[in-house]
Amino acid sequence: MMTRRSTDCLVAFAGGMGLAVMVHCNSLAAQHTTPAFASWVAHGIGAVIALLLVAVAARATHGAGAAGGSPRERGPPPVWAYLGGVPGTLAVILAAVTVNSRLGLAGAVALMQLGQVLFGLVDDVVGLFSTPTRRIRRIDLLVAICILSGSAMIIFGRGDR
Amino acid sequence: MIIATMLAVFNGVVVSTSRGLNGRLSEAVGPLQASLWNHTVGFGFLTVVLGAIGGWAFDPLALPPGAYLGGCLGALLVAVSSHAVSRLGAMHAALLLIGGQMTAALVIDGASRGHVPTPGRWLGVVLILIGIYLSRMPSRRPS
């Protein structure tokens, strides 16, 4: 039987698969303009679609007070929590810079993944962004080794270079 | 080379920061509203930056239809990643998103360029799937 955690893990994995499709589409857009404009278009369309999703969710819950998904706490969030879109756009520019450096696409992606996981580790241990701290277990590190080494084998194992 | 390496790792930190902020917001307003704020703030910020730099060399009609799908998917995927960060923690969410992304990238590469995956790449997928299986073990939250 699927536990709630298993479902969350599968949803995150499926989300990652969707991210690959999204990057593929955004790179199509970037070929016809610049990475910054491609990101601008993607953010504009994303905002409209997210607004529709929030409206549909609000209608579905119909006054249950949980429009836009299921918040896990009440009360106003800190102002800085609304600024996630700013580093999101910065990442697009940094990606363009690093991919076009001597690192190339494979090296830039691998190092970016390493940065994500290491910062995630610090975030979990310290509780940055006022989130709950989590103890890192040996199995968590084993998961990190499996996924990062598997990812590196996919990135560097093309066999045509 | 060292600067490029540091910038690439820093980019991962930037991506994680965005996810962390959206995850924090998601806990208060829900993942869909977090996605709406992410895209609206990002769009506004880029509009200001591009306006300051100048040169709007952009023709929306020149883009192929598939190029617009990225934005549609983004709305849903930011919600998914915000939900994942708040439920699984930042490191686990990052690992699962990376695992899914790399597995799908291999399929897209194969479908669009006719690349048959090498044995090394297949082994990479197997390692990722082992990692996903192990990640299902529940974690304790001391606080």
Side-chain angles (χ1 to χ4, degrees):
Chain A
M1 188 180 145
M2 288 276 282
T3 63
R4 199 166 180 183
R5 182 174 173 86
S6 295
T7 310
D8 286 338
C9 288
L10 284 177
V11 167
F13 184 72
M17 296 183 96
L19 277 178
V21 179
M22 186 190 80
V23 170
H24 185 64
C25 294
N26 287 345
S27 67
L28 256 180
Q31 282 169 15
H32 291 78
T33 172
T34 63
F37 275 115
S39 178
W40 182 75
V41 173
H43 274 86
I45 293 171
V48 174
I49 300 295
L51 185 64
L52 287 175
L53 290 174
V54 168
V56 169
R59 189 156 221 187
T61 52
H62 192 60
S70 311
R72 297 173 68 202
E73 66 172 52
R74 298 287 173 192
V79 175
W80 46 259
Y82 289 93
L83 299 177
V86 175
T89 59
L90 185 62
V92 175
I93 298 161
L94 280 173
V97 171
T98 52
V99 166
N100 290 315
S101 73
R102 280 179 62 198
L103 293 172
L105 178 65
V109 170
L111 289 166
M112 194 177 99
Q113 292 180 350
L114 186 67
Q116 279 181 55
V117 174
L118 289 178
F119 189 73
L121 180 76
V122 174
D123 185 359
D124 284 341
V125 171
V126 180
L128 299 169
F129 314 120
S130 315
T131 44
T133 55
R134 288 163 204 265
R135 192 163 64 195
I136 304 298
R137 304 162 302 162
R138 278 189 197 153
I139 192 132
D140 296 326
L141 297 177
L142 192 59
V143 169
I145 289 168
C146 282
I147 293 182
L148 284 179
S149 56
S151 176
M153 290 182 85
I154 291 176
I155 293 170
F156 297 108
R158 283 177 60 170
D160 56 354
R161 278 174 291 191
Chain B
M1 190 72 169
I2 291 174
I3 291 174
T5 301
M6 286 169 69
L7 274 180
V9 174
F10 178 66
N11 197 17
V13 172
V14 169
V15 169
S16 278
T17 302
S18 178
R19 260 186 218 145
L21 291 171
N22 289 331
R24 174 66 186 83
L25 186 60
S26 169
E27 288 191 352
V29 301
L32 290 178
Q33 283 204 38
S35 174
L36 175 60
W37 277 103
N38 172 80
H39 285 91
T40 308
V41 170
F43 183 75
F45 179 72
L46 269 178
T47 304
V48 171
V49 169
L50 290 172
I53 294 170
W56 289 75
F58 171 63
D59 177 11
L61 296 176
L63 291 180
Y68 291 102
L69 185 62
C72 301
L73 281 172
L76 194 63
L77 296 175
V78 169
V80 169
S81 65
S82 305
H83 174 78
V85 167
S86 67
R87 293 294 293 265
L88 299 167
M91 187 180 83
H92 253 111
L95 285 169
L96 290 165
L97 288 163
I98 288 169
Q101 195 172 1
M102 294 315 298
T103 308
L106 196 62
V107 175
I108 292 171
D109 247 14
S112 64
R113 297 182 192 176
H115 285 164
V116 178
T118 58
R121 287 187 128 186
W122 281 119
L123 187 58
V125 173
V126 170
L127 277 171
I128 286 175
L129 293 178
I130 291 171
I132 304 296
Y133 178 77
L134 293 175
S135 74
R136 291 160 64 246
M137 316 284 179
S139 66
R140 281 160 290 186
R141 292 173 60 156
S143 56

